[in-house]
Structure formats: C-alpha cells, structure tokens
Amino acid sequence: MSEPTWAQIISSISVVVGALVLAVVLRVAAGRLTRRAGDTRWAWDDLIAKLLHDLAIPVAITGGGWIATLILEPEDDARNIVAKVLSAAIILAVTFALARLIAGIVTSVTLARQGPDSSITIFGNITRVIVIGIGLLVMLQGLGVSITPLLGALGVGGLAVALALQDTLANLFAGVHVLASKTMEPGDYIKLSSGQEGYVVDINWRNTSIRTLSDNIEVIPNAEFSKSILTNFHRPAQDMSLLVQASVAYDSDLERVEKVVTEVGAEVMNEVEGGVKDAEILVRFHTFADSSINFTVILRINEFGEQFRIKHEFIKRLHRRFRAEGIEIPFPTRQLLLPNGQAKDLAALDRPYG
C-alpha cells in the first residue's frame, strides 16, 4: 500500500484537533448541565449529567482517532490493531462511567429507603466492583484474549483467596445481611452485649462505624454483630420510655405524691425539648424499702439521646416541687435497740455527709 499523502495527513490531524475541541466543548457543556442538575431535587438527572460528563472526552477522542485512522487508509493489520486499542479504551471509559452511574443509582435507592441522613457505602462499593470486573472481561475479550481459561483460573484462585480471606468475607456477608435484614440502619442507637454502644454512622464492606455519646468513633467488624446480642433503641419505634427511680418517706400521702409527680412529669414533657408532648405520665409504687417507699416514674422521650436532658430537668423540678409541698425524701434510717429497752435513732450515723 502507498504511503499516505500530505492531504490525508493534514485531514487526519485536523480531525484529531477537531475531536479535541469537541471533547472540551462537550465537557464544559456537561459540566454546566451537571451544576444545573444539582439545583433540582430529582436525583436521576444528576446521575445522567455525570454520565455525560464522564463520557464526553473519551467518546470524542476515540471517535476522532478512528475517523483519522480511516482517512490515512492503513493496512488491514495496522487498522485492526488501532481498532482493538480504541475499542479497549472506549470499553474501559464506558465501564468506569457505568460503574459510577449504577453505583449512584444503587446508593440513591438505598438512601431513599433508609433515609436522607444515612451513609451507606457497602452496596455502592459492591456494585462498582462487579461492573468494573465485567467491563475488564469484556475489554480483554475485545483485545482477543480468551477469558475462558482466565475464568477457570479465577475459579481456582478464588477458592484459595476465599480461604485466605475468611475473616474479610465474613465481615462482607455479615454487613450485607445486617442491611438486608434491617437489623440496624445509619442513625440508629445500638448497644452490643460486648459493651460498645452509640449511633450507627456508616456500614461498609468490612466494618461498621458508631459514634459514641462522647463523640468518639468506634469501628466494629461486621462479623461481631453475629456473635453479640444487639439492642437497637430505635426499634420498633424511635420514641421510647424513660424510667426514673425515686422514693418518699413512709408518712407521705401517696395519693398526693402521685398527683405531684404526674404534674411535674407532664410539665417536663410539654416544656422541655425531647419530651413527647401530652404523653401519659405513669407512677408505680413498688417497694417498701428500709426507710422509704420506692416508686418508678415512666416518662416518654422522642429519642434515646434525649434521656439525659429530660431526666436532668425532671429531677430538678421534682426536687423543687417536693420541697414546696413538704414531701420528704428520706435519708436511710436505722434504730439500735439497747439492753434497757430504749431505742436509739442512728439516722445521723447513716447520713453520707455526717
């Protein structure tokens, strides 16, 4: 075959330059489209705009390169090599773009089901790895590499890898099981029998991150959840009961005590943030103790973390109200029977501050 003419060379160079200019224009246009899509509340237009943004340059350059190759009219072998290289490049670009798109779709669907405050990476990561793996196999097939022996080798090698990565795979499948069964979700407050407790921040392919009440992050392997007893304070509902223990003296009028406690509880529920407004306040006397009658007050709070504020305000207000009503919160009292039959009050000895 004859050498390409100067006209062919100039034409092919012009096509390549034009493809580069077109790629830049498409990339800028896709960027503006992405920013405009970000201003809408619909998530799908963001994903489509990002797909166009990712594919703008690869498609324009590979298309221009192929047209320039045809203009030069190379030999069949050279043209086949260029075709394979360009095909592999476009397959790779489309693979990564699709991986991002599909992972974004999976993440959007997951967020729609779990709530806008959740942060879940495990499903998106698994989807991205699967799409990229399939794309690489397609690319190798397009380059003329037989993937059948490769799949066989991957099967044998996968068994060896699975045996070597038992703990990692156990964490992976445990994380998938936790999310699929909805045992817990980001934002839930959980407590394990091993002692760890806090708000679930993220569940990824290996571990789960929880934020403790002291604002520290604890990272727990997913497999640990299958070995521990888990208490989820946001299930079956986020609001929950709060039990406060108290006591009064034996000579107290219990009917009056119950009325006062109920009034203070209702006041706290309606005035303090975190209380369930108009919730029924329950008072349950339960123990004849050594020096007092003990009872439990049952309040209602919106969420686990609100218990500290509600309990703080309730105890302050109940103490102030008891003092105003003349209701005694007794100190522990003991009596010592002396040989002459007299009884000596040892309440002062039992008092913690003398």
Side-chain angles (χ1 to χ4, degrees), residues 19-20 22-31 33-34 46-64 86-102 131:
L20 291 174
L22 178 61
V24 173
V25 172
L26 291 176
R27 188 65 176 260
V28 172
L33 182 62
T34 301
D46 295 345
L47 298 175
I48 295 174
K50 289 178 181 178
L51 177 64
L52 297 177
H53 185 269
D54 292 339
L55 292 178
I57 290 181
V59 171
I61 292 179
T62 53
L86 293 179
S87 298
I90 195 64
I91 289 174
L92 196 61
V94 171
T95 295
F96 282 100
L98 287 178
R100 181 175 180 176
L101 173 66
I102 297 175
V131 173

Side-chain angles (χ1 to χ4, degrees), residues 193-237:
S193 57
S194 54
Q196 294 86 358
E197 61 178 293
Y199 290 96
V200 178
V201 176
D202 182 51
I203 305 173
N204 59 38
W205 64 274
R206 186 178 183 277
N207 50 56
T208 296
S209 300
I210 64 173
R211 176 174 56 84
T212 64
L213 293 176
S214 58
D215 277 337
N216 296 318
I217 297 295
E218 292 187 356
V219 180
I220 305 172
N222 291 331
E224 291 298 319
F225 292 102
S226 61
K227 304 176 184 177
S228 302
I229 298 175
L230 183 147
T231 302
N232 191 334
F233 292 93
H234 283 193
R235 294 290 184 275

Side-chain angles (χ1 to χ4, degrees), residues 156-300:
V156 176
L159 178 60
V161 170
L163 293 175
L165 300 177
Q166 292 184 55
D167 293 339
T168 300
L169 293 177
N171 289 325
L172 172 62
F173 290 115
V176 173
H177 173 71
V178 165
L179 288 175
S181 62
K182 291 189 175 182
T183 304
M184 61 181 180
E185 299 173 355
D188 290 355
Y189 191 94
I190 64 170
K191 182 177 181 180
L192 301 181
S193 57
S194 54
Q196 294 86 358
E197 61 178 293
Y199 290 96
V200 178
V201 176
D202 182 51
I203 305 173
N204 59 38
W205 64 274
R206 186 178 183 277
N207 50 56
T208 296
S209 300
I210 64 173
R211 176 174 56 84
T212 64
L213 293 176
S214 58
D215 277 337
N216 296 318
I217 297 295
E218 292 187 356
V219 180
I220 305 172
N222 291 331
E224 291 298 319
F225 292 102
S226 61
K227 304 176 184 177
S228 302
I229 298 175
L230 183 147
T231 302
N232 191 334
F233 292 93
H234 283 193
R235 294 290 184 275
Q238 187 167 323
D239 59 307
M240 56 179 289
S241 296
L242 172 63
L243 307 184
V244 181
Q245 306 299 327
S247 62
V248 292
Y250 268 95
D251 58 357
S252 301
D253 183 348
L254 297 187
E255 295 291 341
R256 182 160 160 261
V257 169
E258 183 175 2
K259 179 181 178 182
V260 169
V261 173
T262 302
E263 291 175 355
V264 173
E267 176 185 308
V268 172
M269 290 293 95
N270 289 287
E271 296 181 4
V272 180
E273 181 183 357
V276 177
K277 297 184 182 300
D278 300 324
E280 183 182 7
I281 310 302
L282 301 177
V283 179
R284 295 293 181 262
F285 297 97
H286 55 75
T287 304
F288 289 103
D290 292 339
S291 55
S292 62
I293 296 179
N294 299 342
F295 61 93
T296 299
V297 184
I298 304 175
L299 308 174
R300 198 76 183 171

Side-chain angles (χ1 to χ4, degrees), residues 246-249 252 291-292 318-319 322-323 326-332:
S247 62
V248 292
S252 301
S291 55
S292 62
L318 185 63
H319 180 262
F322 273 3
R323 293 184 65 180
I327 298 175
E328 181 185 357
I329 303 176
F331 290 102

Side-chain angles (χ1 to χ4, degrees), residues 26-41:
L26 291 176
R27 188 65 176 260
V28 172
R32 292 181 178 178
L33 182 62
T34 301
R35 288 191 294 272
R36 178 166 296 185
D39 296 333
T40 65
R41 300 180 61 181

